Amino acid sequence: MPESSVAPQHTKPGVADPLFVRACRSEAIERTPIWIMRQAGRYLPEYRALRERYDFLTSCRTPELACEITLQPVRRLGVDAAILFSDILVPLPGMGVDVAFNPGPQLARTIRSADDVRRLRVPDPAESTGYVLDAIRLLRRELAGTVPLIGFAGAPLTMAAYLVEGGATKSFEAFKRLLFGAPATAEALLRVCTETVAAYLSAQVEAGAQAAMLFDTWAGQFGPRDVEATVLPRVRDVVDAVRRAAVARGVPDLPIIYYAGEAAGWLSACRTTGADVIGVDWRIGLDAARASLGEGVALQGNLDPGILLGEPTIIRREAARVIAEAGGGPGRGPARGHIFNLGHGILPSTPPDHAKLLVDTVRELTEVTR
Ligand code: CP3
């Protein structure tokens, strides 16, 4: 099939944009869309079956495998968006730092000095992560306009934190030592991460991603002053770059989503990123999140992933609560500017039936019936 025949849905006259895309733009919708962070992954038996034959990085680096894994939750759950199967640390080898997953990330070296930073490269996305762009092109063909495809990257601060810490941490001691002890070096590192992420996510949009999401998992380790001075300006730079790429592709209103973990204490500052959608975790109610952020931005979230380990009655009750806090529900229909999601990634021990129950419940509780 020629490439040009997979025109983005947005450009087809008379065809409405996908529900998820319209919700991201805070347009009127017929029901609340839902997708699940980390929806492709270990809680799915079909994912585990593939992973018995292929390791995680091979799965990310083989477009046919990444495509198949991306589609697994779309088929099983009937979610309203697909998210590319990959990882936020996939661009690291191109920067000059190899990474292994066991299953948590382990970097081959850490970046802690000015010399370390100087040796990092801003990779050309087509050269170092061409397989991601190929997976996106393949997915657009496979999805054939059924549900939109979300591309993603780690936000600059979260990427920088991994580069300095070299893997999982609770205290972020090495990263904070660099940030507050050698600010010029930290600044240089953040600049490399910003340029890398901006180019990488823009390339995904150019390849056909219909929404772009930035994961800032570790931003909540910082207080409001540092967030406003150091974290969010970099996010703004990436958002601006991705927006330019979207304009060049003829999709000026391509949704951009910013998710920061544990950000309840400074949620209102997220407005400064220019993102269309703010991802919210469960440490704040969506009513309070709305009051904090104001109108004109969509909210994505925010069920505690732990709820999906619970009993069906509790899952239904808590889904209804999240929908109500966003301003929707039976009799009211979908709340404008709400995309249902978990507040963080789905847990590996979640029964797949519980995820399916959640998707069906959100549909049932928000569908406008005539
Ligand atoms: O949402 C999706 O379905 C797309 C796939 C996706 C993965 N990672 C697959 C993955 C996405 C969007 C990510 C993002 C990601 N990766 C984040 C940001 C979101 C978040 O959860 O905060 C972060 C911090 C990472 C880094 C990372 N990768 C960690 C901490 C881990 C190990 C933790 C874990 O879940 O075990 C990974 C590995 C990883 N990334 C797996 C998957 C499915 C597990 C690898 C395996 O199958 O063995």
Side-chain angles (χ1 to χ4, degrees):
M1 194 198 289
E3 192 68 22
S4 57
S5 68
V6 272
Q9 289 194 350
H10 314 73
T11 58
K12 283 185 199 156
V15 175
D17 285 330
L19 173 68
F20 165 79
V21 169
R22 284 181 281 128
C24 288
R25 294 187 193 133
S26 301
E27 292 174 10
I29 39 173
E30 54 280 12
R31 63 178 169 80
T32 300
I34 173 170
W35 69 280
I36 295 176
M37 284 196 273
R38 297 278 192 103
Q39 64 191 15
R42 283 164 297 171
Y43 75 105
L44 288 179
E46 55 270 38
Y47 174 80
R48 292 197 300 271
L50 266 184
R51 283 278 284 97
E52 273 176 27
R53 289 160 56 201
Y54 308 100
D55 67 24
F56 178 66
L57 273 174
T58 303
S59 308
C60 291
R61 288 175 177 163
T62 311
E64 292 73 19
L65 287 174
C67 176
E68 170 58 25
I69 296 171
T70 301
L71 296 175
Q72 286 177 344
V74 177
R75 289 190 201 112
R76 183 192 273 259
L77 305 178
V79 283
D80 293 301
I83 182 161
L84 170 71
F85 179 76
S86 187
D87 194 84
I88 59 166
L89 301 179
V90 148
L92 259 48
M95 298 174 79
V97 180
D98 274 336
V99 56
F101 290 87
N102 294 311
Q106 284 168 349
L107 278 60
R109 62 192 180 93
T110 53
I111 304 300
R112 298 201 176 168
S113 69
D115 258 4
D116 292 339
V117 175
R118 262 193 295 276
R119 279 198 289 270
L120 288 175
R121 295 183 297 266
V122 175
D124 174 346
E127 241 168 60
S128 72
T129 43
Y131 53 87
V132 168
L133 310 180
D134 288 341
I136 290 173
R137 287 185 276 262
L138 185 58
L139 270 162
R140 284 300 307 274
R141 281 198 290 275
E142 292 287 320
L143 285 164
T146 48
V147 291
L149 177 65
I150 305 169
F152 73 90
L157 174 104
T158 291
M159 298 288 277
Y162 271 111
L163 283 165
V164 174
E165 296 287 347
T169 169
K170 284 207 164 71
S171 67
F172 294 87
E173 271 185 56
F175 187 49
K176 290 193 175 182
R177 188 175 301 117
L178 187 77
L179 209 56
F180 302 126
T185 303
E187 167 74 32
L189 172 61
L190 280 166
R191 202 175 313 128
V192 175
C193 290
T194 303
E195 285 176 30
T196 297
V197 169
Y200 178 59
L201 197 50
S202 297
Q204 293 184 40
V205 166
E206 282 152 19
Q210 291 151 292
M213 176 151 172
L214 276 169
F215 285 95
D216 218 348
T217 309
W218 304 129
Q221 303 304 314
F222 295 86
R225 207 204 64 83
D226 291 311
V227 160
E228 281 170 39
T230 308
V231 179
L232 298 177
R234 269 61 184 225
V235 175
R236 169 105 227 178
D237 291 342
V238 176
V239 167
D240 288 346
V242 172
R243 193 83 71 197
R244 283 194 295 275
V247 168
R249 196 178 153 80
V251 198
D253 48 4
L254 177 130
I256 302 177
I257 309 162
Y258 176 61
Y259 168 85
E262 300 187 42
W266 42 262
L267 200 62
S268 63
C270 291
R271 278 308 285 258
T272 63
T273 62
D276 307 284
V277 184
I278 303 298
V280 181
D281 74 19
W282 63 96
R283 293 165 182 93
I284 181 172
L286 286 184
D287 43 1
R290 175 59 74 199
S292 164
L293 281 159
E295 298 297 325
V297 68
L299 304 180
Q300 178 171 279
N302 71 343
L303 189 75
D304 177 347
I307 299 290
L308 289 185
L309 306 177
E311 9 173 87
T313 47
I314 305 240
I315 294 170
R316 287 181 63 86
R317 185 192 74 199
E318 290 303 296
R321 186 183 53 75
V322 168
I323 289 165
E325 283 173 1
R332 289 193 287 183
R336 209 180 255 236
H338 179 214
I339 299 100
F340 200 107
N341 206 317
L342 305 183
H344 202 168
I346 190 166
L347 297 165
S349 64
T350 305
D353 286 354
H354 288 190
K356 175 76 176 130
L357 173 69
L358 178 68
V359 171
D360 293 344
T361 301
V362 170
R363 198 152 294 178
E364 177 197 318
L365 293 178
T366 63
E367 207 143 32
V368 183
T369 44
R370 288 188 198 93

